[in-house]
């Protein structure tokens, strides 16, 4: 059983930054892959970024160059650094971990508005 707890969401102005955290209840090095997804109101679930336990990363075109996903093994945490935020980045952001099976966190709201 793996528990994931996201934090770091909030209200930010366009062009601002936020850093989301996804803390795992197990050693993050044992998790094969962690990904961030987001869902805006009335829209489909959208994949944002992925990091594997070997450090490989991949990003959706919509966030490439603005978002960075990283792992802190000591803290069992995966971060999503979000820079140059845009109103269209407004969504509930959730992390997903693949460890024997798929686990999801509860999500954290990110609102980009002036």
């Amino acid at each position: 059983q793996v528990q994931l707890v996201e934090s770091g969401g909030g209200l930010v102005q366009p062009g601002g930054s936020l850093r989301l955290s996804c803390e795992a209840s197990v050693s993050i090095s044992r998790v094969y892959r962690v990904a961030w997804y987001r869902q805006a109101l009335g829209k489909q679930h959208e994949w944002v970024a992925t990091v594997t336990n070997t450090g490989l990363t991949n990003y959706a075109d919509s966030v490439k160059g603005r978002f960075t996903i990283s792992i802190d093994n000591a803290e069992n945490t995966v971060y999503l650094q979000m820079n140059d935020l845009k109103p269209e980045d407004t969504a509930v952001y959730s992390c997903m971990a693949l460890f024997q099976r798929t686990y999801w966190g509860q999500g954290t709201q990110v609102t980009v508005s002036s």
Side-chain angles (χ1 to χ4, degrees):
Q1 189 76 9
V2 177
Q3 292 184 330
L4 302 172
V5 179
E6 299 103 330
S7 61
L11 173 64
V12 64
Q13 292 186 342
S17 298
L18 283 175
R19 188 178 76 160
L20 305 184
S21 301
C22 173
E23 184 175 0
S25 61
V26 298
S27 173
I28 202 72
S29 62
R30 299 173 59 194
V31 176
Y32 175 68
R33 182 168 70 238
V34 176
W36 284 95
Y37 285 79
R38 67 186 181 186
Q39 187 166 23
L41 195 63
K43 295 190 176 181
Q44 290 186 337
H45 215 205
E46 177 188 19
W47 167 73
V48 176
T50 298
V51 60
T52 70
N53 60 359
T54 59
L56 294 176
T57 60
N58 201 10
Y59 299 91
D61 287 343
S62 59
V63 306
K64 201 170 293 184
R66 300 187 298 123
F67 290 11
T68 302
I69 189 170
S70 62
I71 294 178
D72 185 331
N73 287 307
E75 298 293 329
N76 293 326
T77 298
V78 171
Y79 297 102
L80 185 68
Q81 177 67 43
M82 306 186 296
N83 298 328
D84 189 24
L85 283 161
K86 304 175 181 181
E88 53 263 41
D89 294 318
T90 295
V92 174
Y93 286 70
S94 302
C95 64
M96 181 278 291
L98 179 59
F99 175 70
Q100 298 178 349
R101 67 171 182 86
T102 298
Y103 295 88
W104 289 88
Q106 83 288 352
T108 185
Q109 175 71 46
V110 171
T111 302
V112 185
S113 175
S114 54

